[in-house]
Amino acid sequence: MPPTGHAGFAHPLAHVDWAQVQAELQGLDVITRLPQRRQLSKDFFWYSPVLSQYLADCVADLVVRVGTEEDVRQVAQVVARHRLPLTVRAGGTGNYGQCVPLNGGIVMDVSGLARVLDIQPGRVRAQAGARMYDIEMAARETGQGLRMWPSTWHVASIGGFISGGFGGIGSMRNGILRDPGNMLRARVMTVEKEPRIIELVGDEIQQVQHAFGTNGVILDVEVALNPHVEWLHTTVLFPTYRGALDFGCAGSTPDLDLFLLSTVEARFAPYYTSMGDKFPPDRHAVFTMVAPGSMPALRELAARMGGEISVCGTEQELIDAGLPPAYECAYNHTTLQALKVDRSWTYLQVAYAQPFDPAVVQRHLDIFGDDVLQHQDFARAGGEFGTFGILLVRWKGIEHQYEVIREIESQGGCQIFNPHVVTIEEGGMKAIDDQQIEFKKRSDPMGLMNPGKTRGWRPEMARLD
């Protein structure tokens, strides 16, 4: 169910001497003006009408911008000394309120930790605040590229992607973040009076991955690279949405080298204003990023299945033609395109039972009518091909939203990742991740980081000294 009230914090802030706190933050970029604090206490939670209301008044008491590890250490010490809530942010492109301080305290903006530290064959190490796009551009200079990134990669940071992300552009080829070989190393600073640095390697990183910044300050991460590919951004049109989905299923094969494969139904077309006649309102679209060597096979598959290719070119060729790259037509960019035109929409995220049955989506088209628009992303997870949905849902109040959720989850194997709640568990994990809570006991023993974002942490777990 939707959130009903802000989570309590074990250490009341009413008697905090904020003048003393500021004095102990001397030398750092401390922001006290309310308009800036409001701005830096928000992310993209406005996609959800529920969170827009619930989080509207959540504002940090102070915002601190940091640029070095010593800056981070100073903030961590002050936070621990005064037992203040700490929320870490960078680009703030998350949709769940991950970087919104539910209980005030300090927001630490790590956007200044933005250096790409090292690039080697098959790997790149970057500070947490480095933008994904900047990392990719640096990698391309060495003939390499990231395995995956969010559709908001021009703004999103790698630390935010690790702590809040699941997968994204590139998951069709390389799986989700948690899959072996994608995340290689992370350095995390603890929040204590004497902060320590913990280094995590390989699967150990899952202790902080998708933990919503609740259990340690990520300083830098190392992720895997692949050889760079000049992907062809391709749009394939179909007269029926079932045809588009069948093409998505047929394209989910190792015989095609795809970085992206997403289907978007025709009713989205009016929101894709820059596509023009390349995505007309009487056709359903499949957006792909395909390796040049697989383009002949993709053309043959499209022709055999009744599809028509309306766009095909490199990213730069599309930009020069005034068209969006394929990744801006997929994942949660579909929601953003609609909200730019009509703010009466919101969204839901769905994981479908595998093997994916397009008839489930067809049933939802019949049941929901104009209240729900369909969009599916095809990707690998755990080595297997899977299908996920980011559905556009007409906002008719929270009860209607949960009616839609119940109907979808009544279909065998469909699971909703609910974007109208703020905790990790309610949003999709469903169960408490014990290894993340155990790591929090080591990295945030006072329970100061992003309080209220995980149900696994209880006040009595906090160490008082």
Side-chain angles (χ1 to χ4, degrees):
M1 290 300 290
T4 56
H6 294 172
F9 182 59
H11 314 296
L13 303 184
H15 302 296
V16 172
D17 184 345
W18 289 105
Q20 178 61 32
V21 171
Q22 289 186 61
E24 294 177 23
L25 294 170
Q26 184 177 2
L28 302 182
D29 183 5
V30 179
I31 296 169
T32 59
R33 294 185 65 247
L34 182 59
Q36 288 178 283
R37 286 191 284 122
R38 285 192 185 279
Q39 179 184 1
L40 292 169
S41 296
K42 298 184 183 301
D43 60 10
F44 281 26
F45 65 77
W46 54 267
Y47 278 33
S48 164
V50 179
L51 297 187
S52 291
Q53 179 178 357
Y54 176 64
L55 300 176
D57 299 324
C58 295
V59 182
D61 294 282
L62 293 176
V63 175
V64 185
R65 288 193 170 115
V66 296
T68 69
E69 286 190 14
E70 284 309 306
D71 292 348
V72 176
R73 183 181 301 276
Q74 184 177 347
V75 173
Q77 288 175 323
V78 172
V79 162
R81 195 177 299 131
H82 293 272
R83 296 185 182 177
L84 305 174
L86 175 65
T87 304
V88 181
R89 67 162 291 133
T93 62
N95 306 113
Y96 292 85
Q98 294 105 313
C99 62
V100 177
L102 296 183
N103 299 276
I106 290 180
V107 162
M108 180 167 61
D109 185 345
V110 300
S111 299
L113 291 168
R115 289 189 298 135
V116 176
L117 299 170
D118 186 40
I119 301 178
Q120 298 294 331
R123 59 187 61 218
V124 59
R125 179 171 163 245
Q127 291 181 308
R131 295 184 303 172
M132 301 294 289
Y133 178 82
D134 293 338
I135 299 170
E136 172 73 6
M137 293 304 105
R140 286 186 189 181
E141 292 182 5
T142 70
Q144 303 181 90
L146 289 167
R147 287 191 176 189
M148 70 190 70
W149 27 270
S151 61
T152 53
W153 69 328
H154 285 279
V155 179
S157 69
I158 192 166
F161 189 45
I162 296 297
S163 63
F166 177 78
I169 317 303
S171 288
M172 181 62 184
R173 191 190 205 212
N174 299 303
I176 59 176
L177 271 170
R178 283 178 171 242
D179 283 341
N182 288 327
M183 301 183 297
L184 304 179
R185 192 178 299 270
R187 292 173 65 248
V188 178
M189 185 175 289
T190 65
V191 177
E192 305 174 271
K193 293 178 182 177
E194 296 297 331
R196 297 167 294 120
I197 291 178
I198 300 174
E199 187 164 307
L200 304 173
V201 179
D203 286 347
E204 294 174 345
I205 303 172
Q206 294 187 20
Q207 294 173 114
V208 295
Q209 202 275 309
H210 205 74
F212 283 20
T214 59
N215 61 359
V217 182
I218 297 175
L219 297 172
D220 59 70
V221 298
E222 185 175 81
V223 296
L225 298 175
N226 282 345
H228 172 64
V229 176
E230 191 67 69
W231 301 103
L232 295 175
H233 296 239
T234 305
T235 305
V236 188
L237 302 178
F238 289 87
T240 68
Y241 196 57
R242 178 59 186 263
L245 291 172
D246 287 342
F247 179 85
C249 292
S252 298
T253 168
D255 296 334
L256 289 176
D257 189 0
L258 301 178
F259 201 66
L260 172 73
L261 177 60
S262 297
T263 60
V264 179
E265 65 151 292
R267 289 177 293 178
F268 275 92
Y271 304 124
Y272 284 54
T273 54
S274 59
M275 288 290 291
D277 61 2
K278 303 299 184 182
F279 182 12
D282 62 346
R283 288 293 183 270
H284 307 270
V286 181
F287 296 98
T288 77
M289 293 169 65
V290 54
S294 286
M295 194 62 215
L298 188 89
R299 287 187 183 276
E300 188 279 329
L301 180 64
R304 177 159 47 88
M305 302 191 71
E308 172 192 358
I309 294 177
S310 68
V311 175
C312 181
T314 65
E315 179 174 355
Q316 191 58 54
E317 287 171 342
L318 265 66
I319 292 172
D320 291 344
L323 295 171
Y327 59 78
E328 290 188 356
C329 301
Y331 284 84
N332 226 355
H333 247 73
T334 58
T335 311
L336 180 60
Q337 300 283 20
L339 288 173
K340 287 178 181 177
V341 178
D342 184 352
R343 291 294 291 270
S344 68
W345 291 106
T346 186
Y347 74 111
L348 287 174
Q349 296 175 297
V350 187
Y352 297 96
Q354 302 305 318
F356 173 60
D357 181 3
V360 172
V361 174
Q362 185 60 58
R363 182 175 185 274
H364 293 158
L365 283 166
D366 296 338
I367 290 174
F368 297 129
D370 290 336
D371 285 345
V372 179
L373 308 190
Q374 295 292 327
H375 149 225
Q376 278 69 40
D377 296 302
F378 294 78
R380 296 191 201 203
E384 302 293 332
F385 287 102
T387 309
F388 305 88
I390 299 182
L391 313 182
L392 204 61
V393 181
R394 181 71 68 183
W395 179 250
K396 293 184 173 181
I398 191 62
E399 287 305 320
H400 175 260
Q401 195 76 6
Y402 277 86
E403 287 174 11
V404 173
I405 289 174
R406 284 190 291 270
E407 176 58 42
I408 293 173
E409 290 194 327
S410 72
Q411 303 300 299
C414 288
Q415 180 182 358
I416 291 288
F417 293 83
N418 190 351
H420 305 295
V421 292
V422 296
T423 66
I424 305 167
E425 297 84 4
E426 291 172 296
M429 301 295 287
K430 307 303 182 187
I432 292 167
D433 189 328
D434 291 331
Q435 70 168 345
Q436 291 187 351
I437 299 303
E438 288 303 311
F439 186 73
K440 184 175 176 70
K441 292 176 181 177
R442 296 171 55 202
S443 60
D444 178 30
M446 296 183 184
L448 303 175
M449 292 199 69
N450 232 352
K453 302 294 176 64
T454 174
R455 292 187 175 276
W457 181 264
R458 301 185 305 277
E460 61 268 25
M461 294 178 174
R463 195 180 73 201
L464 300 180
D465 56 0

